Each structure stands twice: as structure tokens, then as C-alpha cells.
Amino acid sequence: MINLTIDGNHVSVPEGTTILEAAQKVHLDIPTLCYLKLEKSKYLNQVASCRICVVEVEGKHNLAPSCATPVFEGMKVTTNSKRVLASRRKNLELIISNHPFECLVCAKSTDCELQKLVWEFGINTQRYTGERSSHPIDKTSSALKRDPNKCIMCRRCETMCNTVQTVGALTAFGRGFHTVVTPAEKMPLAESNCVYCGQCVSVCPTAALTGVGYIQDTWAALFNPKKKVIVQVAPAVRVAIGEEFGMPPGQPVTGKMVAALRRLGFDAVFDTTFGADLTVVEEGKEIVERLERKEHLPILTSCCPGWINFLKYHFPNLDYMASTCKSPQQMTGAVIKTYYAQKMGYDPQDVVVVSVMPCIAKKYEAALPAEQTYGIRDVDLVLTTRELAKMIKEGSMDLRHLPDEEFDDPLGRSTGAGVIFGGTGGVLEAALRTVYEKVTGKELVDVNFTAVRGLAGIRETEIDLEGRTVRVAAVSGLGNTRKVLEKIESGEEKFDIIEIMACPGGCVNGGGQPYSEERDEIIEQRVRGLYHLDRGTTIRKSHLNPSVQELYTSFLGEAGSHKAHEVLHVQGLLEEEVCPEYQPQ
Amino acid sequence: MKKTLKHCESYQEHSKQFQELGEYLDSLQIDQRNPRRKDTLIMTLHRAQMIFGYLPEEVQLFIADRYGISHADVSGVISFYNFFTVTPKGKIQVNVCLGTACYVNGADQILAEFERILEIKAGQVSADGKFSIESLRCVGACGLAPVVTINSKVYGKVKVSQVREIIERFLTEDLEVEEVSHA
């Protein structure tokens, strides 16, 4: 152990600890900006570029960045001397001298870490003016927006994209003042190998990287008397949106959220969890068939568009392994515009499907031409959890004070299996609950497959299907995914079923979820919230969802039927062109 | 449209050059799982620029693929160094140093004179592809300031009045020597 003093406090820490971490031990809150550590995601950004966390070390001439300076025996650190405070302040003033002063109308206002620091430092004047960066704003993608003028060169996005996700879409381009974080060759995002996982958005301290917003389009649809506007909500949203209203993370607020959506004017409030159950039944059929024929194994789940993009761009030779099933979002949309519209006597052209997702990539997925049914887009507008929270606030509501209401029938009915889709391992567990019964013909008594739960990046186990042992894995984070796929490619490992989610921890940690500085704890709480909901439901197997059964009986026929393929499966996974945007009339 | 290696069609056109680069990369025996594999990237980019004259996107993708790194990674390194170029340069490359020592000795006027005579600006290539001019920062010959290099030849203590003569001499004498030595 190394002994040192920080502001007169004696601290004992293991060798290799940074001053910042040692200071946290004695509850000293040294301000940081570029630094970020997320243990659950194995993420560490320690470039020491912003110089906000500098401290004075006795005997050293220069101020030390506390985030990247290891402690030594007998070290004496001062975190709040005149020199330290003056230096931090000047550094921050220099950073904002090259930052647009449009905070009032900025998408990140009140969630911006730069803004927060400026506020905490009490900086109320713009001391330095000079040359400003001027780069074009990249709006080429339907999911992600890049505004390099708001970038403070913290490099958090690069670390996330290149080190954790191993996508490699971003680089620092150029040198000195003209450096800009951009895809290769300054190409637009839409042409780059970006998979739109949105993890860069969740670590960006400013609004340099944000999701493309669809709030105004949603209001326009809601206020259009000719349109039937139907909303669906993903499972991960209900255990996170409460945070935006000061409720504890992970606390399920399903009923209040449904009440809010109804009061916003949606004609029907449906549950993407229904689509999840449908996915399990449809994909379960595919799994059973492939297991029987022993071909195209392992089957890779296809619920996560960030992951599917990763597969397309980085492992195109393995793309035949992916399930052809649409994701729950797209299945729900397709069923709304076919089965439900027919049942209600609506013209599908007049139906607008809005989905609320914890995700950035879902915005991209909804716009893909392969994601249509009978020539009509399955999902028109995709909002993030954050965007819905804003709409609820704009709509004069406080989630905390709303009553608990139920989803509408029939696409609001779901099972515990559908709910756990929101976290890593959930899709696999839900599929196993169904596949077990389909393969063995026996009732599954204990539905808990605890071996596939947890937040470790890769979890593998073997499941006994009464005579046939299947090897399964649940993977989250694209860096972990790369490791697994490389082993499959080389033949080093063999699996039967693999669930993959692009975001570390799964959808609960999606790029569209409420921003938080304590993400590690929050992810755990959100996952716990999902399993809590699962335990509280009476039906915990997707194929027993009565609405799903009814849908097959009266509309689709049986799982894997021709009709089911037309509505619930993707036609041509590799199609790239984006279909026409939703136009409000 | 997303671009990957598959989309690059110019491989056939330049297949000899790609073959040469490929052989060079083979000789490096790159281990795609070694976290330090990028150590030789700058060397490779030098070699590639020697072979192709510049570093177009398909060359970048080719190199990225062989190293098992992203295109963005390669592009970022290229963008950092003035020496590397992603657009073709002229056959005769005039580089005028604008480093501190050269600058205080009037390098800006030297550059202006080259631009005037060759009728192109720094960063441009003449229409016939013969000349290009670049300005650069310090070639490490400050004692000779102001310094101009044309291809691999270095000219020191250059005066504005000498510029035309330098160009003419290079065209008549040095270029021939270069061509002979390359043959």
C-alpha cells in the first residue's frame, strides 16, 4: 500500500491508484471533464486532455492531472490551492472560448457536463474570444447527429467506439487547433462503418454527438386528426424513464408511463413486449428447425439493430447465421399496420406507429427498406426514453403524480419473458423457456435460467433439452461480440444459440436512456427492475401469451408460415438504401 | 452507402502496385492480434505513398484490412503528417519551408514567386500533372534558411530572383538525372 496525504487527509491506497481515485476515497470531489471510467463496460478514458482535474504535488514544478497521475509513497497533494483553482478556471475558460454559446437552445442543455462545470465554477462571463472551430454538422444519418463545433476533444467517443465497441468509426483527424473527431477521411456518418449503437452519445459530455430527434414530428402526427397514432414502448424504457422525474433508477413505472402516453393523445398504447413474445415464438420455430437440421448454427439473435449492423460491416461472411426475424419493434409495427389496422377498419396509410426505445440504432432500423410490410413502413417515428420524458414534461405532466393504467388490448398483453428482453441475457432466456417446451414436449417448471443472467460481457452455458445438449451464450458489448465471432469464424468454439446486444449490459444501457454519471450502478438497478417485473407476472413463457396465440389463430396461421414470413421476417438483410421518410400531412 | 474493401474496384487497374504493397506487407509479418501491430504503420504508409504517389481511400482500406485496424485509424495517422497526401501530387513536387527560421528570412515571398511562375497555389497540382507546390514546416535545415526542396533535391539560402532559374535548371538537368537513376 502507498501512503500519501491529500489536503492533509492521510490516504492508503494500492500501488497504481491515481490521485483522483485516492481523493475519492476521502470524499474529495475533484472536478473532471474528459476523464471517464465505467467498470462494467471495461471503459477507461484517461487522456488527460482537458486539464480540469489538475492538482498540486509538493516538490513538482508542474500541476499534475489527477486522473492520470499515479500516487507515490509520501506524496503530498493539494487539490484547492490558489494556483490550482486559477489554473482549472483558466483551462475551462479556454475550453469554452471555442464552444458555441447556444446553450439555451442546445439539445444537451441541463444534461451537459461542460455546462454543469461552468455553472459550478461560477463562470459568468466570456473572458476569452478568438478563433472558433467551424466544421459542417453531419446530419446524414437518420439516427445520429454529429456537431463537431461542440466537441471539446475529450476523446470519450473514440475510446468507446474503438476500444470498447471495436467498431472503429471515429478518429481524431488533423492536427492542433484544426483537429476534428470524425469518421475516416471526414466522410459522412452515413457512409462510414458506424453501426449507430449510440454508446458514443451516452459518453459525450456535450452535444457533439446526439440522437436525431423526432419530438416535433410526433407532435405533428398527434395533432393531425386524419391520423391514427399508435405507440409502442420497449421493455427497458419502463425501468429508466422514472429517473428523468427524480424517481429511483430501476423502479418500474409501467402504469404511470402508459397513463402519460394516453394523455399525450395516442390512439392506442401498445407494448413492444408483445412483439418480444412474438419474436420468441417466431424465432423459437427457427431455432428448433435449425437445431433439428443441424445447419446454420449457431443461430444469432436479430433483435438489436446495432449488432446487426456490426455483423453486416465487420463479419459479412457470418451473416447467414443471423435469424431472419424482425426485431420486436418492427414486428409490433408490422402487426399494428396489418392485423390491428384490419381489425379496427383503419387504412394502414393513415396509421402512424411511434415507438419509444432506449436506443439510437432503432431510429436507423425503422428507416430501412427491408423493414416494410406489403410496401408500408412498419415503424414511422422512433423516440428515445429521453425524448418521451421531454414530451411528458412539455405535455404538462409529472410522471410521479399519474395514476397507474394498463396497456391497451390486444397488443398490450405480454409475459415476463417479453419484459426481460430489455437486458443482456433476456432474449436468450425467453427463447429457452419456449424452445425447451417445443423440443421436449414437456412443461418447463423452473423458468429461471440464471446462468445466462448477469452483467459479465460473455456468459456461456449448456442447456439440457432432454437428450440434446445445446451450447448457448449471451454476449453484450460489441468488443465482446468480436471476440466470440472470431472464435466462431476460426472454428475454435461451437455454439447453438447466441444472443447478442450491442450495448454493454443490453438495452437498459442503450444510447437513448437517461444520461447518468453513475452508469455502473444504474445499469444493475434497471436490470433488477426487469427481473422484478418478470417475477410478478403470471405468464412467464412467450408462447402462452394469449394475444400472441390469438394472432396466430386468426391471422398468421402458425409460426413460420408463409404469412408469418411476409409480416414478421426481414426481406433482404443487406439492403442499404433508406426508404422514404415519414412525411406529416 | 457504406464502403468496405469489397466496394473498391480500382484494385484491378493498379494491380501491380497493390501486389508490390501486398508483398511489402507480407514481409512485415503483421500479427493482427498484437496490440502493438500499428508500430510499423507509418513505415507502410511511406512505402505506399512511394508506390502510388499518394494515399487514396482504397489504399487506406487495403492497409487497414491487412493490419486488422479500422479505416478511421489509418486516416487519422495520415491526416496528422504533412508528408502524407490523399490527393495525387505533381511529378515535380516543390516544397517551400515556412518554418520559423525560413519564414523570418522571407520564405513567404519565395513561395509567392513559385506560385506566380507555376500559376498554381500551394496545395494544388498543375493541370498537366507536372508540378505541385506545398508549404511545409521545418525540414531541419534551418542553417540554410530559406529552404526549398524539389523532389529529393534541397536548395538553401534561396533568393526570390533565383526561383525561375532553379525551376529551369531542375527541368533541364536534375529531372534527367532523376529519370536515369530511377530507370
Side-chain angles (χ1 to χ4, degrees):
Chain A
M1 296 295 265
I2 307 280
N3 300 295
L4 68 153
T5 61
I6 308 177
D7 294 346
N9 300 285
H10 291 278
V11 195
S12 230
V13 288
E15 200 180 339
T17 307
T18 62
I19 298 173
L20 180 70
E21 286 173 319
Q24 285 164 349
K25 286 251 153 80
V26 284
H27 307 291
L28 287 169
D29 191 12
I30 299 174
T32 56
L33 184 54
C34 64
Y35 173 82
L36 185 67
K37 184 175 187 177
L38 301 168
E39 268 171 53
K40 292 263 156 43
S41 312
K42 296 206 167 62
Y43 173 98
L44 177 62
N45 192 55
Q46 197 181 25
V47 294
S49 68
C50 74
R51 302 274 150 176
I52 292 299
C53 69
V54 288
V55 294
E56 213 164 347
V57 178
E58 200 179 279
K60 301 278 175 191
H61 178 68
N62 290 330
L63 295 179
S66 61
C67 71
T69 309
V71 297
F72 57 79
E73 186 62 38
M75 192 183 217
K76 279 191 180 143
V77 179
T78 311
T79 71
N80 56 8
S81 66
K82 183 181 177 188
R83 186 176 165 214
V84 164
L85 297 189
S87 173
R88 286 183 190 159
R89 193 180 181 85
K90 181 168 269 181
N91 290 338
L92 190 57
E93 286 179 314
L94 286 169
I95 290 169
I96 62 171
S97 76
N98 185 27
H99 195 82
F101 271 59
E102 50 182 62
C103 301
L104 268 178
V105 290
C106 176
K108 205 64 184 286
S109 191
T110 74
D111 281 322
C112 173
E113 291 176 47
L114 180 63
Q115 187 185 45
K116 185 167 164 252
L117 267 186
V118 170
W119 179 77
E120 283 177 357
F121 279 37
I123 294 171
N124 46 24
T125 173
Q126 195 180 350
R127 187 138 71 110
Y128 302 109
T129 51
E131 195 181 348
R132 284 274 187 87
S133 300
S134 172
H135 302 284
I137 298 172
D138 186 347
K139 293 181 184 173
T140 55
S141 131
S142 51
L144 256 179
K145 182 178 149 190
R146 257 185 70 243
D147 182 352
N149 303 313
K150 290 180 178 168
C151 174
I152 55 163
M153 298 304 291
C154 69
R155 321 291 282 271
R156 284 185 186 180
C157 55
E158 260 186 272
T159 302
M160 182 56 88
C161 190
N162 302 338
T163 311
V164 177
Q165 297 294 64
T166 67
V167 170
L170 295 171
T171 184
F173 190 97
R175 200 173 48 223
F177 183 78
H178 303 287
T179 314
V180 55
V181 175
T182 159
E185 293 284 279
K186 288 193 180 180
M187 66 172 70
L189 267 177
E191 287 174 20
S192 75
N193 61 350
C194 169
V195 304
Y196 308 119
C197 71
Q199 283 298 303
C200 56
V201 171
S202 61
V203 295
C204 179
T206 68
L209 287 156
T210 50
V212 177
Y214 294 97
I215 292 178
Q216 292 315 313
D217 293 326
T218 306
W219 283 125
L222 285 168
F223 291 131
N224 184 340
K226 283 184 246 153
K227 298 287 181 189
K228 292 287 170 197
V229 190
I230 295 166
V231 70
Q232 54 162 318
V233 199
V237 177
R238 66 205 63 184
V239 290
I241 194 166
E243 292 161 32
E244 296 277 10
F245 297 86
M247 297 159 90
Q251 181 181 323
V253 291
T254 321
K256 296 185 191 308
M257 179 185 74
V258 171
L261 289 165
R262 203 162 276 137
R263 283 158 181 71
L264 286 174
F266 288 101
D267 293 286
V269 183
F270 289 147
D271 197 348
T272 310
T273 307
F274 163 86
D277 283 334
L278 192 53
T279 306
V280 169
V281 174
E282 203 58 31
E283 193 170 325
K285 171 88 179 169
E286 218 181 338
I287 293 173
V288 172
E289 278 177 5
R290 288 207 211 169
L291 284 176
E292 272 172 10
R293 292 195 213 127
K294 296 195 167 79
E295 68 176 19
H296 294 350
L297 292 175
I299 183 164
L300 309 174
T301 57
S302 58
C303 302
C304 168
W307 138 243
I308 290 296
N309 286 339
F310 186 74
L311 177 68
K312 285 192 290 190
Y313 311 149
H314 296 263
F315 292 88
N317 49 333
L318 299 184
D319 69 358
Y320 67 90
M321 290 178 178
S323 159
T324 60
C325 284
K326 287 180 183 172
S327 69
Q329 159 176 279
Q330 298 302 128
M331 282 201 183
T332 308
V335 171
I336 291 170
K337 291 208 181 173
T338 55
Y339 168 74
Y340 181 73
Q342 204 178 69
K343 198 175 151 117
M344 300 298 288
Y346 299 153
D347 179 350
Q349 302 279 10
D350 293 333
V351 176
V352 179
V353 173
V354 177
S355 64
V356 186
M357 295 284 141
C359 183
I360 299 286
K362 287 282 168 193
K363 293 172 185 276
Y364 168 83
E365 181 188 47
L368 285 171
E371 304 286 351
Q372 303 185 30
T373 307
Y374 305 128
I376 295 175
R377 214 175 135 144
D378 294 333
V379 175
D380 298 288
L381 298 165
V382 181
L383 300 170
T384 59
T385 310
R386 294 190 293 267
E387 286 175 280
L388 175 60
K390 283 189 176 163
M391 286 186 74
I392 293 172
K393 287 175 187 171
E394 193 183 354
S396 328
M397 283 176 276
D398 183 338
L399 198 71
R400 288 173 301 175
H401 301 121
L402 290 172
D404 287 322
E405 292 183 6
E406 298 283 327
F407 280 108
D408 288 311
D409 263 345
L411 312 185
R413 280 222 220 148
S414 67
T415 70
V419 171
I420 57 173
F421 260 59
T424 175
V427 174
L428 180 61
E429 181 167 349
L432 288 173
R433 291 178 188 177
T434 292
V435 167
Y436 180 89
E437 296 201 348
K438 297 281 172 196
V439 171
T440 63
K442 291 182 185 166
E443 192 194 337
L444 179 68
V445 182
D446 180 8
V447 297
N448 301 303
F449 290 90
T450 45
V452 300
R453 294 184 190 173
L455 289 174
I458 305 170
R459 296 173 312 285
E460 326 169 349
T461 188
E462 289 185 346
I463 307 285
D464 180 21
L465 295 180
E466 313 270 324
R468 163 119 208 229
T469 304
V470 289
R471 188 137 188 265
V472 301
V475 185
S476 77
L478 292 172
N480 296 321
T481 304
R482 180 180 291 278
K483 282 185 206 151
V484 172
L485 292 186
E486 278 173 352
K487 284 182 185 163
I488 292 173
E489 220 176 12
S490 68
E492 205 175 310
E493 295 248 32
K494 290 225 182 306
F495 289 97
D496 296 297
I497 313 168
I498 304 179
E499 173 216 285
I500 298 169
M501 296 189 185
C503 295
C507 313
V508 286
N509 186 30
Q513 293 283 56
Y515 295 114
S516 168
E517 285 177 31
E518 278 106 34
R519 291 214 308 180
D520 276 339
E521 297 92 79
I522 280 186
I523 298 166
E524 257 181 339
Q525 287 159 330
R526 290 176 186 161
V527 169
R528 224 175 291 141
L530 290 177
Y531 282 98
H532 171 79
L533 286 172
D534 172 36
R535 275 196 306 277
T537 52
T538 45
I539 308 174
R540 296 177 70 187
K541 296 167 192 166
S542 296
H543 57 287
L544 301 181
N545 179 333
S547 286
V548 170
Q549 290 175 334
E550 167 62 21
L551 175 71
Y552 278 106
T553 315
S554 63
F555 186 69
L556 294 170
E558 52 177 18
S561 70
H562 180 69
K563 180 102 174 172
H565 268 269
E566 283 181 343
V567 180
L568 306 178
H569 290 250
V570 172
Q571 333 288 339
L573 197 65
L574 285 161
E575 292 289 326
E576 269 298 319
E577 210 183 323
V578 171
C579 65
E581 290 222 350
Y582 162 74
Q583 294 290 343
Q585 279 151 16
Chain B
M1 184 68 188
K2 303 276 183 179
K3 277 182 201 136
T4 63
L5 206 58
K6 280 187 199 161
H7 298 111
C8 293
E9 288 158 3
S10 58
Y11 292 123
Q12 272 73 36
E13 279 177 55
H14 305 287
S15 58
K16 239 186 195 162
Q17 288 162 305
F18 274 103
Q19 205 179 337
E20 191 183 341
L21 181 58
E23 279 163 15
Y24 176 76
L25 285 159
D26 289 340
S27 75
L28 293 176
Q29 296 183 322
I30 298 158
D31 173 7
Q32 295 215 353
R33 293 198 182 187
N34 182 348
R36 299 210 55 178
R37 63 193 181 279
K38 271 166 69 181
D39 288 1
T40 57
L41 179 61
I42 290 177
M43 261 159 57
T44 300
L45 292 171
H46 264 274
R47 178 60 68 107
Q49 186 157 305
M50 219 169 81
I51 297 169
F52 291 89
Y54 68 116
L55 298 167
E57 196 170 300
E58 50 269 44
V59 173
Q60 297 179 27
L61 283 165
F62 184 79
I63 293 171
D65 184 56
R66 294 292 298 264
Y67 272 89
I69 58 178
S70 69
H71 179 198
D73 243 341
V74 175
S75 163
V77 171
I78 291 170
S79 74
F80 191 87
Y81 296 99
N82 256 348
F83 174 81
F84 295 128
T85 173
V86 295
T87 49
K89 282 190 178 174
K91 199 172 167 195
I92 299 169
Q93 293 167 23
V94 178
N95 286 306
V96 182
C97 179
L98 292 184
T100 312
C102 291
Y103 194 83
V104 296
N105 281 291
D108 55 332
Q109 290 154 44
I110 306 288
L111 176 62
E113 183 67 359
F114 272 105
E115 289 178 335
R116 192 182 66 80
I117 295 172
L118 298 175
E119 295 178 340
I120 47 169
K121 292 279 169 200
Q124 292 179 335
V125 185
S126 61
D128 58 3
K130 198 161 188 180
F131 289 99
S132 59
I133 308 178
E134 294 288 340
S135 66
L136 42 79
R137 296 294 142 97
C138 198
V139 293
C142 306
L144 298 175
V147 175
V148 171
T149 67
I150 303 184
N151 291 358
S152 53
K153 193 156 169 88
V154 181
Y155 300 85
K157 298 190 193 273
V158 179
K159 293 190 177 71
V160 172
S161 57
Q162 296 171 333
V163 169
R164 181 171 288 277
E165 191 198 326
I166 288 173
I167 296 171
E168 280 167 2
R169 201 166 36 162
F170 190 87
L171 277 173
T172 52
E173 298 164 24
D174 299 295
L175 194 59
E176 277 171 29
V177 176
E178 273 200 349
E179 277 165 358
V180 171
S181 66
H182 274 185

